[in-house]
Amino acid sequence: MAHVDQVVLISIDGLRPDGLQKANTPHIDGIYGNGASTYEARTVMPSSTLPCHTSMFRGVVPERHGITTNTWVPQVRPIPSIIDVVHQEGLKTRAFYNWEQLRDLSDPGSLNSSYFANNCDQPAGDLLIAEQAARSIKDDDKPGFTFVYLGHTDVEGHNSGWMSEPYIEAIGNADRAIGIVLSELDKDRTAVLVTSDHGGHGMTHGTDSPEDMTIPWGMCGPGIVECELNDRVAIIDTPATIADLLGIPIAADWVGKSVQSILPT
């Protein structure tokens, strides 16, 4: 199996698939259209930001990792995150985010660099996060794993309502942020995954409704098969897929499976 040198995981908080399809998103459209994607991936319950991101990074459902609210609690039976696994293999790890609770997605010492700004209440906040990520990628020739979190879409969903005009505009703003990151990537060495933690309905989320539980999941990069994913993809499949792409071991505790059908051969 062929491998890539770097994976960039971009999470757009609260992104509904139908919202993505309605918004002006040329950069995400390029990733999805030139790679493997689905608009019917499945997140976990409760469909809230910290439980979902913990599952995205640790490959198990909340009942196993123990994070069931947006407040972090120490794990009784610790499970490594994709950041921990990548770091243990000697590769660089970076994180850029604008919602502080995501500071606990990895163990202390597993990140080579990180940047946090409490600015997801404004569209410019997502752009700043992207600029910081792009600058770090440009200045560092030792790739590995980079996490970029864009939080304004979720804020706009709570403030104006999911599928409202401001919410759709926030998705377009996130796409502009992604364009900033893409401009500094070595596309011959890098796989990019754009997904979300959960959807939303009305002005909230956290339930088991389809609007909350269905998320987009799409990746492109060297050798990745161009296809619409027919098999159900789950948020917990994300870390195993990233590990496979980087050619590093999959943690034994992860329940999620690598999405083998998209991997370079």
Side-chain angles (χ1 to χ4, degrees):
M1 180 188 299
H3 305 295
V4 299
D5 294 326
Q6 177 172 231
V7 175
V8 177
L9 168 60
I10 302 173
S11 175
I12 304 174
D13 198 330
L15 177 61
R16 270 175 53 164
D18 51 353
L20 173 57
Q21 291 170 304
K22 186 175 181 180
N24 180 25
T25 55
H27 298 105
I28 301 174
D29 293 347
I31 292 169
Y32 279 38
N34 293 300
S37 64
T38 177
Y39 293 97
E40 298 180 353
R42 186 84 172 169
T43 191
V44 293
M45 269 291 292
S47 52
S48 299
T49 300
L50 190 57
C52 292
H53 275 92
T54 304
S55 290
M56 184 190 297
F57 276 67
R58 300 187 186 271
V60 295
V61 297
E63 290 87 346
R64 173 64 179 87
H65 59 61
I67 309 304
T68 57
T69 71
N70 282 333
T71 299
W72 171 261
V73 294
Q75 297 180 82
V76 176
R77 294 182 293 150
I79 299 170
S81 81
I82 183 61
I83 295 174
D84 302 323
V85 171
V86 172
H87 179 76
Q88 289 165 7
E89 292 299 312
L91 301 177
K92 282 287 189 72
T93 55
R94 296 174 286 220
F96 304 86
Y97 54 101
N98 52 10
W99 191 64
E100 190 176 7
Q101 288 89 327
L102 298 181
R103 65 187 178 273
D104 293 306
L105 290 179
S106 61
D107 294 339
S110 289
L111 280 168
N112 291 101
S113 61
S114 65
Y115 176 85
F116 162 73
N118 186 21
N119 62 12
C120 63
D121 58 328
Q122 298 294 325
D126 283 358
L127 300 177
L128 175 62
I129 291 297
E131 289 166 359
Q132 293 291 332
R135 185 176 299 116
S136 177
I137 290 168
K138 180 178 180 181
D139 293 342
D140 191 346
D141 61 355
K142 295 181 179 179
F145 174 73
T146 300
F147 171 53
V148 181
Y149 166 87
L150 307 173
H152 182 64
T153 305
D154 182 75
V155 172
E156 204 57 73
H158 286 292
N159 289 343
S160 303
W162 265 261
M163 302 305 293
S164 66
E165 183 175 343
Y167 170 78
I168 299 301
E169 290 175 353
I171 297 173
N173 182 73
D175 186 78
R176 290 190 288 276
I178 289 172
I180 295 171
V181 176
L182 295 179
S183 68
E184 298 299 340
L185 294 180
D186 183 342
K187 296 177 176 59
D188 294 329
R189 305 170 64 196
T190 306
V192 180
L193 169 59
V194 177
T195 187
S196 184
D197 51 347
H198 57 74
H201 68 282
M203 300 178 74
T204 190
H205 57 85
T207 76
D208 61 357
S209 70
E211 293 85 357
D212 292 4
M213 295 292 293
T214 309
I215 57 172
W217 195 100
M219 174 182 282
C220 75
I224 290 178
V225 177
E226 296 183 21
C227 64
E228 293 184 10
L229 293 167
N230 295 319
D231 296 336
R232 176 59 65 91
V233 176
I235 196 170
I236 62 173
D237 297 331
T238 303
T241 305
I242 293 171
D244 257 352
L245 282 165
L246 290 171
I248 62 177
I250 293 173
D253 289 328
W254 293 345
V255 174
K257 306 299 181 183
S258 178
V259 184
Q260 292 285 323
S261 60
I262 75 170
L263 298 176
T265 58

